Amino acid sequence: MKKVVLILSILTTAALSQVALKPENAYRRVPNSSFGAGEHLEYKVHYGIFNAAEAVVDVAPTLYKVNERPCYRVNVYGRTVGAFDLVTRIRNTWRSYIDTTAILPQKFFAHIEEGNHRKEENVTFNHFANTVRAEEKNQKDVFKVPDNVHDVISGYYYLRTIDFSRVNTNQTIEVPAFFDDQVYNMKVRYRGREVVKTRFGHINAIKLNPVLPENKLFKGEDAIRIWVSDDANKVPVKIEVELWVGSMEMDLKKHSGLRNDLKFFKQ
């Protein structure tokens, strides 16, 4: 009887040890030579000939521990300027804490100011249980999500780690994402390579199309065209958006803290 108890004790201890280790082992490992702490990007948005908005994408210079995991803190801030600020004032901030090893979100925060509309939300990810907890004002909800789910920011940073030399032209890459209390597939189509003109000179670029569902804002599923640097960084250098009324263009204005130098040239 003592031997049976001893064996059961050993088995129970081993099982508990495996449970304790499982959350750590559950995380994937994604090689990343594209971005790191301290990266800073600024963009200008034009609507036709008018300056419409500006955006700042900033990776904090230090790492943060969230859910006991080291994370990059990424802030994305967007605001309208000039006449557009008088018509529809926008002050939006999105923040993601991205796991440095798995390139997955641990927490996501959104603060939205669009005209009279206000919204503030906190989302906490549990990748071991495949759940997220969304908190807005006094409301808290828990949602079931698929493996390796992203938020809208971390999904973009994950795409920067992909080796597009292994992707076929017109191939679509899908990434599960949680946003606004819903799970959906972020779909991006690889369109090949082009040379793009920027304020810094020409640069070799990878062309991508986020695949959009039918909507009343964007003109077709390929309405957004993104050119990212064809190097280890994969930094967006130019974005074009076709709206049902007019078009918008976003250009890289400033950059610093990149892991690899951008290589511009004259043409």
Side-chain angles (χ1 to χ4, degrees), residues 124-127 129-133 142-150 176-179 182-183:
T124 303
F125 292 79
N126 184 331
H127 293 286
N130 281 349
T131 60
V132 297
R133 186 178 75 248
V142 175
F143 299 87
K144 195 69 177 175
V145 294
D147 286 338
N148 298 325
V149 71
H150 283 271
F178 178 85
F179 182 70
Q182 291 186 353
V183 175

Side-chain angles (χ1 to χ4, degrees), residues 55-126:
V56 176
V57 184
D58 191 74
V59 184
T62 57
L63 299 181
Y64 289 74
K65 182 173 280 191
V66 182
N67 295 338
E68 298 303 314
R69 302 279 296 184
C71 293
Y72 300 113
R73 190 197 71 184
V74 181
N75 277 343
V76 178
Y77 175 70
R79 66 187 295 267
T80 48
V81 298
F84 283 80
D85 203 39
L86 299 176
V87 177
T88 305
R89 184 180 186 274
I90 295 176
R91 299 289 187 274
N92 291 346
T93 300
W94 297 272
R95 181 177 302 128
S96 181
Y97 293 88
I98 303 174
D99 192 292
T100 59
T101 301
I103 315 298
L104 287 170
Q106 294 293 345
K107 281 193 176 183
F108 175 79
F109 167 79
H111 176 83
I112 307 299
E113 294 184 24
E114 298 177 354
N116 294 324
H117 174 64
R118 298 289 185 274
K119 179 179 178 179
E120 191 161 294
E121 182 179 37
N122 285 281
V123 178
T124 303
F125 292 79
N126 184 331

Side-chain angles (χ1 to χ4, degrees), residues 135-171:
E135 302 177 43
E136 184 180 352
K137 293 183 178 179
N138 297 323
Q139 183 176 348
K140 298 181 181 180
D141 295 295
V142 175
F143 299 87
K144 195 69 177 175
V145 294
D147 286 338
N148 298 325
V149 71
H150 283 271
D151 60 38
V152 291
I153 297 177
S154 69
Y156 149 70
Y157 278 88
Y158 171 70
L159 287 174
R160 286 178 61 180
T161 68
I162 291 176
D163 181 0
F164 284 94
S165 66
R166 299 174 179 269
V167 181
N168 296 323
T169 301
N170 294 325
Q171 182 177 337

Side-chain angles (χ1 to χ4, degrees), residues 217-263:
L217 179 61
F218 300 107
K219 194 174 182 179
E221 70 169 17
D222 294 335
I224 302 178
R225 299 176 290 277
I226 304 174
W227 288 267
V228 303
S229 57
D230 188 6
D231 56 14
N233 296 300
K234 301 182 189 71
V235 167
V237 294
K238 184 183 183 68
I239 299 175
E240 291 179 349
V241 180
E242 293 292 334
L243 306 171
W244 285 109
V245 180
S247 61
M248 301 183 74
E249 186 175 302
M250 188 166 84
D251 297 299
L252 182 63
K253 176 186 173 185
K254 291 182 181 179
H255 58 88
S256 63
L258 301 181
R259 290 188 70 168
N260 313 277
D261 292 335
L262 292 176
K263 296 180 179 179

